[in-house]
Amino acid sequence: MQDPEERTKRQTSRRNFLGQALTAAGTAIAAPTLIHQATSAQNMNTTQTPAPGEMAVTLTVNGKPRSLTLEPRVTLLDALREQLGLVGSKKGCDHGQCGACTVLIDGERVYSCLALAVMQEGKAITTVEGLANGDVLHPVQDAFIDNDGFQCGYCTPGQVCASVALLDEIKRGCASAITPDLTRAPQLADLSEAEIKERLSGNLCRCSAYNGIVAAVQQAAGQQPPAPAAAMLLTEPAEVLV
Amino acid sequence: MSNVIGTSVSRTEGRAKVTGSATYSAEHQISGLVHGYLITASVANGQIRAIDTREAEKAPGVIAVFTHKNAPKVFMPKNDFMNSKIYEARLPLSDNQVHYAGQIIGLVVADTFERARHGAHLVKVEYDTQTPLIDAKKVTFKEAPPQFGEEFAFAKGNIAAGLANAAIKIEATYTSSTELHAPIEPHAIIAHWQGADALTVYEHTQWVAGAQRTYAELFALPAEKVRIVAPYIGGAFGCKAVPWPHAILCAAVARQVKRPLKVVLSRRQMTANAGHRSETEQMLRLAATKDGMLTAIAHEVKSYTSPVDVFIEPCTGITPVMYTVPNLQLKQELAVMNIGTPTFMRAPGENPGLWALESAMDELAWALKMDPVELRLKNETREHQRKGLPFSAKHFADCLNVGAERFGWNDRPMQVRSLTRDGKRVGWGMAAATFPGLRGRASVKVRLLPDGTAHVLTAANDMGTGAYTVVAVTAAEVLGIPVEKIRVEMGDSRLPDGGLAGGSQMTASLAPAVTAACQEVLKTANCTTASEACAALRQSGRGAIEATASSAPGAEMKKWAFQSWGAHFAEVTVDEEIGRLRVTRWVSVMNIGQVINAKAAASQVRGAVIMGIGQALMEEAHLDPNTGYPVVYDLATYHFPAHADTPRIDVAFVGKPDLNFNPIGARGVGEIGITGVSAAIANAVYHATGKRLRSLPLTPDKLIG
């Protein structure tokens, strides 16, 4: 998924935390980068000849280079879904409001509906399709199944990717808006339900499988989550109740 | 029997969902696919005077533009909900009339999504406009007509006398707001014609066989020429049962342009074009004796519909089932406004109906100085007072008593503003939950293979309910083979009709059909166990043994009233300085008969309760009072609960099978969990603050100070 060296390079700091908040807040700050990327993309020698108004780009998705031509207005989400056939990342709102399109870019969670595809060259994009190792699921994916962390499944890829990123952020010592002490970030073992909920509130679930999702993160963090099933008052087919 | 029914089983389709390989409507890979983008009206009442599509037609990638001037031919289906049903009786682009803001007035087809969207923005429209009817206070109400064959008005006893002679009376009006289903998967369809007379529709539908017949009627085709494919549905809650106008238009245009066509609604378009729950105004009058016996209930309801179809939010359905009362009067009225067509939304009628009735019951309990649990126990009815039939396997009292015990209800001070924590007011409230036990006809095919596995095939669907797993668990139980060896295929109209996933009836309809088909396959094999049958298969060299069976409700419907029951107990905190209301603790106890999968059933109740918390705290769609245009139009403006808004929901089931209902004894669980939730919260708010709030949602402006 991610180079361990790269991971250690990113320091635990308040600045890092603020930087993430900005990334989540919007793409406006990235406009100069867009122009730069577009120029460099046009200068590149690619095998495909872009049609007028289109650009050739190579995206690195789940470890594989994928070359495509697209208009600069195409979002990463639409490029994944409509051009690369990677429909695991979901379009829920197309406005950065629901989180169903969450992917990892260089290990950080990003709403792919707010990211332009042409800006992503040279970055490592991981979608939900790239989390498992062959037939072996990522521990977060297993935990979602065990704890019934989904119902219809449409927000699930975003919830799973966000949860993977969340656990990594904890390991890196990132604070959240409700972390009481910014000098002492929570550890996986004492990560509270409130912290998990705060850190996942950018991912909406209309089926409201929230209890199961929080339990899945607890399990993946090495904690013991509450059992997902309901209590049964009557376990024997006998006339216990009248 | 393997005794797997009632245990906790992980969803069989879980792996597909967590790896992103589950395929939803817009995601089927079809070569030559083109994209459609809707053009929608920017006025709420008027006529299109002129529509100029020339610039759009010239734009790069645009293939065609359709408006009312060149609308493709579509036939009006029977629309009777037996053979076929569409959500809006006006066919798309049928004339130049605009009935509500956001109504579909055209479709642009292009080679990419971006180019279709750009093309739609290039279409210029001029309107003649009239003042839209938007203000609920200025519209004309008429008595609501019967809906799906059922009258609304009902009277028993003498309501005037019942009210006049009472020791205690409550009279109050409760309102609920316009709510959006807001599934995370937007409405989406791919229509793919094979020539001009065979159509494949990739569309989420809660009613696969109904969609097949409806599209067949829309295009005057035999049903077998239409195939519906819907293996996964990204949330529905009532708004994905039958075709909306955009879907009809997509299928019609795809035939015209001779290309597979995909249309996905934007959030803004969903607000106007894909249904909502109507706002309601409900006047309740309750009368009781000094010792808390109800003597009269009068329930009068107002709701709203669009100019192009009739849907009545059937709030009075719950009134005759909840409490014994000698004098009962029900009335519903309806007004037309320039709004999109409302429709079924999770527990239509039961949900707003119980919001009003369970709030009023709480008011009555306070007036009587009686515990609200005791008041409900005291007035529980053993029969459905409209049908005149006894309830089967009720256990409402168990839900109330066990819920109270799990919550610690008996420690509740019978005084408002008596609890505080961290500088906030704390309150405890409770309310009852109920939903009818519905069941329909369903057919299932079972195929037993020599390797000891079984396939179960049915045109039912799983919109997140856990139906795939319910079917697998039921088959595993009857065949005596592990759940992992059962492969379930659903959501394809080529399979036997699996019925409707609506009215919480899919489990109750499917489980008996699965049972019957499994028994039939053993009978066909002339074996008592599946392993015996599989061994025989291996010996004979045959490929498989198959059997199809159907199951449907029968004479029991005339002997019993089937209804599920429950009780919610809620704790809230109110920060009166800033008006912030939080739900901090929740206990729900439900009786839904036999529980098939303890894990998925619990998730259904948790999800429904949280949706109810949304209704109580924040969900509210608004129209601009002058233009009629939605000012709440996406997920940033329409708020529903996020992770941080949700407490852990403690769920318990009674678990006793209702064998009068079906051979498994299972009633549905999709909707009951949301009923009563908003009342439990408002009742808790009253306990916390002494403020009786009768208008949903309970926003900070109502709680401050």
Side-chain angles (χ1 to χ4, degrees):
Chain A
M1 264 217 348
Q2 199 187 332
D3 183 356
E5 240 185 75
E6 174 63 25
R7 188 175 290 178
T8 48
K9 260 192 254 169
R10 282 185 273 142
Q11 296 298 306
T12 303
S13 71
R14 185 168 161 77
R15 194 171 155 212
N16 184 331
F17 160 59
L18 288 175
Q20 280 171 6
L22 279 178
T23 315
T27 52
I29 52 164
T33 327
L34 168 63
I35 296 160
H36 169 73
Q37 293 265 334
T39 317
S40 64
Q42 274 169 349
N43 294 338
M44 268 177 55
N45 270 334
T46 52
T47 46
Q48 288 163 295
T49 317
E54 292 189 344
M55 294 166 56
V57 290
T58 300
L59 302 180
T60 307
V61 187
N62 300 328
K64 292 191 194 102
R66 307 286 300 263
S67 294
L68 61 165
T69 62
L70 36 71
E71 294 179 318
R73 62 181 163 182
V74 177
T75 64
L76 174 59
L77 176 62
D78 284 325
L80 291 169
R81 285 172 65 82
E82 303 297 338
Q83 300 210 30
L84 298 177
L86 289 168
V87 294
S89 305
K90 303 303 182 196
K91 185 183 278 192
C93 68
D94 213 16
H95 284 66
Q97 298 160 350
C98 76
C101 65
T102 303
V103 300
L104 307 177
I105 299 181
D106 291 339
E108 305 278 359
R109 45 176 150 166
V110 172
Y111 292 160
S112 63
C113 75
L114 293 185
L116 292 171
V118 294
M119 292 168 64
Q120 311 309 323
E121 274 196 315
K123 298 176 186 173
I125 300 160
T126 305
T127 69
V128 72
E129 290 99 335
L131 291 177
N133 183 2
D135 281 344
V136 181
L137 295 183
H138 189 285
V140 167
Q141 290 173 314
D142 272 326
F144 267 69
I145 296 174
D146 294 345
N147 293 283
D148 217 30
F150 52 86
Q151 292 186 37
C152 82
Y154 198 80
C155 76
T156 311
Q159 303 274 1
V160 167
C161 286
S163 299
V164 169
L166 181 160
L167 294 171
D168 186 53
E169 288 156 18
I170 298 297
K171 287 177 198 160
R172 286 176 5 227
C174 298
S176 83
I178 64 158
T179 303
D181 180 356
L182 289 179
T183 64
R184 198 198 151 275
Q187 305 295 303
L188 287 179
D190 63 11
L191 186 64
S192 67
E193 272 197 29
E195 276 277 3
I196 296 170
K197 290 196 279 193
E198 173 65 24
R199 288 162 188 263
L200 283 180
S201 282
N203 290 78
L204 297 176
C205 173
R206 186 55 161 162
C207 301
S208 298
Y210 293 126
N211 284 182
I213 297 168
V214 171
V217 173
Q218 289 174 319
Q219 178 177 319
Q223 300 180 12
Q224 181 71 44
M232 288 291 178
L233 306 185
L234 189 73
T235 49
E236 296 296 319
E239 298 284 322
V240 177
L241 297 154
V242 288
Chain B
M1 289 285 179
S2 59
N3 295 321
V4 59
I5 281 188
T7 63
S8 186
V9 179
S10 291
R11 287 173 204 253
T12 56
E13 82 287 11
R15 196 180 177 90
K17 285 179 176 171
V18 300
T19 56
S21 64
T23 309
Y24 296 81
S25 297
E27 299 170 353
H28 294 271
Q29 305 294 307
I30 293 157
S31 81
L33 183 82
V34 292
H35 299 258
Y37 198 90
L38 298 172
I39 310 162
T40 55
S42 58
V43 302
N45 189 13
Q47 298 76 37
I48 299 167
R49 188 171 59 233
I51 185 159
D52 181 354
T53 59
R54 285 170 298 181
E55 205 184 331
E57 281 158 9
K58 282 186 289 190
V62 170
I63 294 163
V65 183
F66 291 87
T67 69
H68 68 279
K69 290 183 180 168
N70 62 341
K73 177 72 187 158
V74 186
F75 298 91
M76 188 64 202
K78 290 191 191 84
N79 204 18
D80 56 4
F81 220 155
M82 298 296 289
N83 296 286
S84 58
K85 178 88 184 109
I86 55 177
Y87 272 121
E88 194 168 290
R90 178 184 181 270
L91 293 171
L93 310 188
S94 48
D95 53 34
N96 71 336
Q97 191 70 35
V98 176
H99 300 278
Y100 54 87
Q103 178 189 309
I104 296 165
I105 57 169
L107 182 79
V108 175
V109 181
D111 58 350
T112 70
F113 164 70
E114 293 78 12
R115 288 167 157 186
R117 182 178 58 191
H118 181 61
H121 292 141
L122 296 174
V123 174
K124 294 184 188 73
V125 190
E126 290 170 38
Y127 302 92
D128 294 318
T129 57
Q130 291 86 48
T131 307
L133 271 174
I134 297 299
D135 188 343
K137 292 183 190 70
K138 291 183 187 157
V139 294
T140 312
F141 285 93
K142 289 184 180 159
E143 187 179 347
Q147 181 156 263
F148 312 124
E150 291 194 21
E151 294 274 348
F152 285 102
F154 178 74
K156 139 181 164 173
N158 183 336
I159 195 75
L163 288 167
N165 301 332
I168 309 277
K169 268 184 277 188
I170 297 293
E171 178 174 333
T173 298
Y174 305 88
T175 64
S176 66
S177 63
T178 303
E179 293 163 50
L180 304 178
H181 305 72
I184 300 291
E185 179 200 26
H187 286 73
I189 173 173
I190 298 172
H192 186 194
W193 287 85
Q194 292 82 42
D197 65 350
L199 169 65
T200 304
V201 176
Y202 301 87
E203 188 187 21
H204 41 63
T205 171
Q206 297 173 238
W207 190 26
V208 176
Q212 180 189 34
R213 292 194 295 269
T214 303
Y215 281 104
E217 288 180 15
L218 281 162
F219 297 102
L221 299 169
E224 61 272 18
K225 288 287 187 182
V226 175
R227 182 183 175 201
I228 307 293
V229 181
Y232 292 100
I233 302 179
F237 315 112
C239 72
K240 291 178 179 169
V242 300
W244 284 106
H246 73 271
I248 298 169
L249 184 59
C250 175
V253 165
R255 177 148 77 167
Q256 207 84 357
V257 299
K258 299 185 169 61
R259 299 281 292 272
L261 175 64
K262 167 151 76 178
V263 172
V264 181
L265 296 196
S266 70
R267 280 287 150 188
R268 188 182 281 266
Q269 291 164 354
M270 280 173 76
T271 307
N273 288 308
H276 61 269
R277 192 203 299 276
S278 170
E279 60 182 292
T280 67
E281 183 185 310
Q282 304 180 58
M283 210 259 278
L284 264 165
R285 284 173 291 165
L286 304 187
T289 60
K290 270 194 305 219
D291 57 351
M293 298 304 296
L294 281 165
T295 55
I297 303 179
H299 191 179
E300 295 175 17
V301 181
K302 289 174 176 166
S303 72
Y304 307 86
T305 193
S306 78
V308 288
D309 209 330
V310 172
F311 183 85
I312 304 146
E313 185 70 25
C315 300
T316 50
I318 47 94
T319 329
V321 311
M322 291 306 298
Y323 305 110
T324 301
V325 65
N327 306 297
L328 176 64
Q329 182 175 289
L330 310 176
K331 183 181 167 191
Q332 289 219 200
E333 291 183 320
L334 184 70
V336 172
M337 289 206 288
N338 290 107
I339 52 172
T341 305
T343 194
F344 317 96
M345 180 169 165
R346 206 171 200 169
E350 290 84 9
N351 174 353
L354 276 192
W355 147 243
L357 182 60
E358 289 297 288
S359 292
M361 285 294 281
D362 198 68
E363 295 201 45
L364 179 63
W366 283 100
L368 289 161
K369 297 186 175 56
M370 183 182 276
D371 186 305
V373 173
E374 191 194 338
L375 177 66
R376 285 163 175 84
L377 287 169
K378 203 162 198 169
N379 288 284
E380 186 189 3
T381 170
R382 308 306 290 177
E383 67 157 39
H384 190 301
Q385 296 170 93
R386 193 157 183 170
K387 290 182 178 168
L389 295 173
F391 288 116
S392 172
K394 192 173 175 193
H395 302 298
F396 177 44
D398 293 316
C399 297
L400 289 165
N401 289 326
V402 173
E405 190 186 315
R406 290 176 80 87
F407 187 83
W409 181 258
N410 292 341
D411 299 335
R412 170 180 176 262
M414 285 262 278
Q415 199 183 347
V416 300
R417 301 183 74 82
S418 53
L419 298 175
T420 55
R421 191 196 304 146
D422 303 332
K424 298 179 191 105
R425 294 280 164 197
V426 176
W428 293 0
M430 60 79 54
T434 195
F435 195 82
L438 304 179
R439 181 187 171 200
R441 185 180 184 80
S443 303
V444 171
K445 179 189 274 188
V446 172
R447 183 186 295 143
L448 208 54
L449 300 169
D451 63 0
T453 63
H455 296 175
V456 187
L457 312 161
T458 178
N461 59 59
D462 189 329
M463 51 192 180
T465 54
Y468 275 113
T469 319
V470 158
V471 169
V473 164
T474 309
E477 178 84 22
V478 182
L479 295 173
I481 59 180
V483 172
E484 308 79 67
K485 296 209 165 184
I486 312 272
R487 200 180 87 201
V488 182
E489 273 182 47
M490 299 203 297
D492 189 328
S493 60
R494 289 178 172 175
L495 308 174
D497 182 355
L500 166 74
S504 299
Q505 65 182 298
M506 181 133 277
T507 296
S509 308
L510 268 186
V514 172
T515 305
C518 291
Q519 287 164 342
E520 192 61 31
V521 89
L522 293 178
K523 204 168 125 194
T524 308
N526 205 14
C527 297
T528 49
T529 67
S531 58
E532 216 180 287
C534 293
L537 264 179
R538 284 193 294 274
Q539 217 157 32
S540 70
R542 277 175 67 193
I545 312 170
E546 275 187 4
T548 303
S550 299
S551 175
E556 74 280 3
M557 305 302 284
K558 294 198 168 64
K559 286 204 294 210
W560 299 96
F562 298 106
Q563 190 88 12
S564 284
W565 303 91
H568 298 294
F569 292 82
E571 181 190 86
V572 302
T573 62
V574 180
D575 184 340
E576 291 186 305
E577 272 182 42
I578 56 171
R580 181 156 68 184
L581 166 62
R582 308 279 294 170
V583 178
T584 47
R585 200 155 66 84
W586 200 277
V587 171
S588 296
V589 182
M590 299 283 147
N591 174 28
I592 58 162
Q594 173 70 56
V595 176
I596 293 185
N597 182 358
K599 190 145 76 167
S603 291
Q604 280 279 44
V605 174
R606 291 191 181 110
V609 168
I610 295 167
M611 196 183 258
I613 291 174
Q615 173 185 44
L617 267 62
M618 58 191 97
E619 295 188 30
E620 187 172 27
H622 284 293
L623 300 174
D624 181 283
N626 296 310
T627 65
Y629 212 81
V631 292
V632 167
Y633 50 79
D634 61 11
L635 299 183
T637 48
Y638 188 77
H639 295 170
F640 60 76
H643 276 279
D645 298 309
T646 54
R648 187 162 285 281
I649 311 295
D650 178 81
V651 180
F653 292 110
V654 171
K656 189 175 152 91
D658 180 359
L659 295 171
N660 296 320
F661 183 48
N662 62 28
I664 305 289
R667 301 193 293 244
V669 65
E671 291 162 275
I672 184 169
I674 198 172
T675 69
V677 169
S678 48
I681 293 171
N683 297 343
V685 166
Y686 180 75
H687 185 232
T689 65
K691 287 195 179 97
R692 176 57 67 180
L693 300 183
R694 302 189 183 93
S695 180
L696 292 176
L698 313 178
T699 42
D701 53 307
K702 297 165 189 166
L703 288 158
I704 224 158

